[in-house]
């Protein structure tokens, strides 16, 4: 794994809610991101105010425990992001990350993104060439019809996935963003339809929930999710379950009504919980054909 201090080499405001940063360091020559990195996640550590970034020289596999043991202000703030792209090569390699900036309550990463300028520095953990890293969840079977659903924080992952799909891929994508001006131009195979759903002040998740159920030919059941149902760390994939549900391999049931569909759903945990309930409990999708990921939880800081 790479754990390196990287520098902002370019900043571009893509839209009201997206800031694109290109991060560089000679150490990125060893970045190990393949052409099918899909939704490859990375960790970024942002500085705490004027405190310097934590140093990681010489730390090995136990870096996380060592980092956690440091005093809070020295640690900085670790958050999860997606590799939107990789530009250049060798020591000129740049890691492209799209950061959502938002109004209202916001955390250190959002604030950093809003103010990002060339020369700013963060720590980045990312895959190193030739070493195991993990962090890719998108795993459909060949020929599956795809259903990709996300809010603004999942737009970078969906955009990266779409660029890397086979030209013959087919399916539907639903993306909820804060404003109509956040609709981006994405590259995608012809057989994959992309529908943007700007909230423009409307309630979070409502239009997304309804559009996904309509796509599946189901009635939009109530979106109401009780607080007690929400797992802020929601992560239910064919290979991992944050709720401890029985795991298993990719054993999708042949003959099942939804056989041949693969759903990848990420965003705010309450919205994703509502979709999970609708798709798995109400419509009966097999949990082996869906990945539900809480990328963030309203009102909470999540590293
Ligand atoms: C696998 C994975 C990949 C991700 N990829 C990306 C990515 O590429 N780009 C990206 O922007 N995000 C991405 N996220 C989401 C990002 O990690 C969270 O939004 C994170 O909480 C931002 O940290 P923060 O310091 O701004 O806010 P936090 O300190 O975590 O939270 C502080 C406050 O801000 C609010 N808040 C946090 N995020 C949002 C938001 N998006 N909209 C409105 N309010 C918010 C919280 O509700 C809380 O009240 C990803 C998350 C995961 C798990």
């Amino acid at each position: 794994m790479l754990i390196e201090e990287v520098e902002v080499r370019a900043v571009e405001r893509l839209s009201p809610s997206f800031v694109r940063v290109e991060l560089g360091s000679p150490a990125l020559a060893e970045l190990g991101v393949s052409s099918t990195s899909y939704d490859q996640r990375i960790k970024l550590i942002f500085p705490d105010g004027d405190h310097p970034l934590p140093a990681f020289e010489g730390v090995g596999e136990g870096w996380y425990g060592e980092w956690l043991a440091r005093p809070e202000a020295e640690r900085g703030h670790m958050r999860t992001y997606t590799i939107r792209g990789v530009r250049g090569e060798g020591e000129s390699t740049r890691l492209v990350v799209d950061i959502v900036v938002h109004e209202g309550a916001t955390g250190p990463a959002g604030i950093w993104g809003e103010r990002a300028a060339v020369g700013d520095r963060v720590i980045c953990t990312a895959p190193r060439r030739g070493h195991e890293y993990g962090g890719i969840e998108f795993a459909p079977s060949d020929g599956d019809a795809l259903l990709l659903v996300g809010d603004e924080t999942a737009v970078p992952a969906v955009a990266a996935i779409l660029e890397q799909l086979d030209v013959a891929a087919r399916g539907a994508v639903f993306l909820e963003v804060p404003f109509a001006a956040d609709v981006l131009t994405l590259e995608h195979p012809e057989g994959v339809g992309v529908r943007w759903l700007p909230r423009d002040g409307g309630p979070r998740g409502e239009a997304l929930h309804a559009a996904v159920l309509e796509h599946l030919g189901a009635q939009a059941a109530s979106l109401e999710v009780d607080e007690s149902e929400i797992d802020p760390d929601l992560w239910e994939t064919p290979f991992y379950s944050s709720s401890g549900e029985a795991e298993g391999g990719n054993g999708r049931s042949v003959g099942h009504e939804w056989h041949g569909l693969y759903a990848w759903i990420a965003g705010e945990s309450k919205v994703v919980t509502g979709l999970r309930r609708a798709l798995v409990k109400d419509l009966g999708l097999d949990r082996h054909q869906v990945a539900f990921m809480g990328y963030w939880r309203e009102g909470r800081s999540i590293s």
Side-chain angles (χ1 to χ4, degrees):
M1 186 188 80
L2 281 175
I3 177 157
E4 292 293 336
E5 194 168 310
V6 290
E7 189 182 78
V8 175
R9 297 276 157 83
V11 183
E12 186 185 355
R13 186 82 181 217
L14 299 179
S15 75
S17 307
F18 293 107
V19 171
R20 172 162 294 170
V21 292
E22 293 186 17
L23 303 169
S25 153
L28 293 183
E30 289 197 55
L31 189 68
V33 176
S34 76
S35 58
T36 47
S37 58
Y38 294 133
D39 53 344
Q40 175 73 67
R41 61 179 176 267
I42 54 170
K43 297 280 184 190
L44 296 178
I45 302 179
F46 300 91
D48 184 79
D50 292 332
H51 282 275
L53 283 164
F56 284 97
E57 279 91 39
V59 296
E61 289 299 306
W63 70 273
Y64 184 69
E66 205 181 296
W67 174 78
L68 266 186
R70 297 182 194 185
E72 217 164 285
E74 279 176 32
R75 257 190 259 156
H77 304 276
M78 187 185 300
R79 299 287 183 268
T80 310
Y81 280 84
T82 305
I83 297 185
R84 175 63 186 87
V86 176
R87 291 188 180 156
E89 54 185 48
E91 296 198 351
S92 309
T93 301
R94 291 181 179 192
L95 201 54
V96 182
V97 181
D98 288 352
I99 297 185
V100 174
V101 292
H102 42 89
E103 291 173 344
T106 189
I111 294 170
W112 185 90
E114 181 72 64
R115 300 176 184 163
V118 170
D120 287 352
R121 301 176 84 87
V122 289
I123 306 279
C124 158
T125 77
R128 183 188 291 272
R129 191 172 309 121
H131 295 260
E132 278 291 305
Y133 185 81
I136 298 175
E137 302 295 350
F138 181 74
S141 293
D142 281 349
D144 275 351
L146 304 173
L147 173 60
L148 305 181
V149 181
D151 70 6
E152 55 272 33
T153 61
V155 166
V158 171
I161 290 171
L162 287 175
E163 274 173 15
Q164 296 170 33
L165 286 176
D166 189 272
V167 283
R170 64 204 166 85
V173 174
F174 296 92
L175 293 170
E176 181 180 294
V177 285
F179 308 109
D182 288 317
V183 173
L184 307 175
T185 304
L186 304 184
E187 248 179 66
H188 58 88
E190 243 176 58
V192 179
V194 179
R195 183 156 162 216
W196 292 87
L197 300 155
R199 280 192 299 280
D200 280 324
R204 184 180 295 285
E206 199 174 279
L208 189 68
H209 190 94
V212 171
L213 290 197
E214 190 193 345
H215 171 73
L216 294 173
Q219 290 283 327
S222 154
L223 178 63
E224 266 326 298
V225 173
D226 193 78
E227 281 297 313
S228 62
E229 268 186 79
I230 307 166
D231 172 0
D233 304 313
L234 174 65
W235 208 265
E236 300 287 336
T237 73
F239 311 104
Y240 177 83
S241 166
S242 59
S243 67
E245 275 180 24
E247 290 165 37
N250 222 348
R252 296 164 202 188
S253 44
V254 179
H256 187 274
E257 185 188 353
W258 301 105
H259 178 68
L261 174 74
Y262 172 80
W264 180 106
I265 300 178
E268 199 282 326
S269 292
K270 182 176 183 179
V271 175
V272 177
T273 300
L275 281 166
R276 178 168 196 272
R277 190 176 61 192
L279 269 60
V280 174
K281 294 203 177 133
D282 301 346
L283 295 180
L285 266 77
D286 188 312
R287 67 170 293 266
H288 292 103
Q289 62 190 127
V290 288
F292 292 100
M293 293 152 292
Y295 266 22
W296 65 287
R297 173 72 189 112
E298 185 131 47
R300 250 190 61 156
S301 285
I302 299 184
S303 57

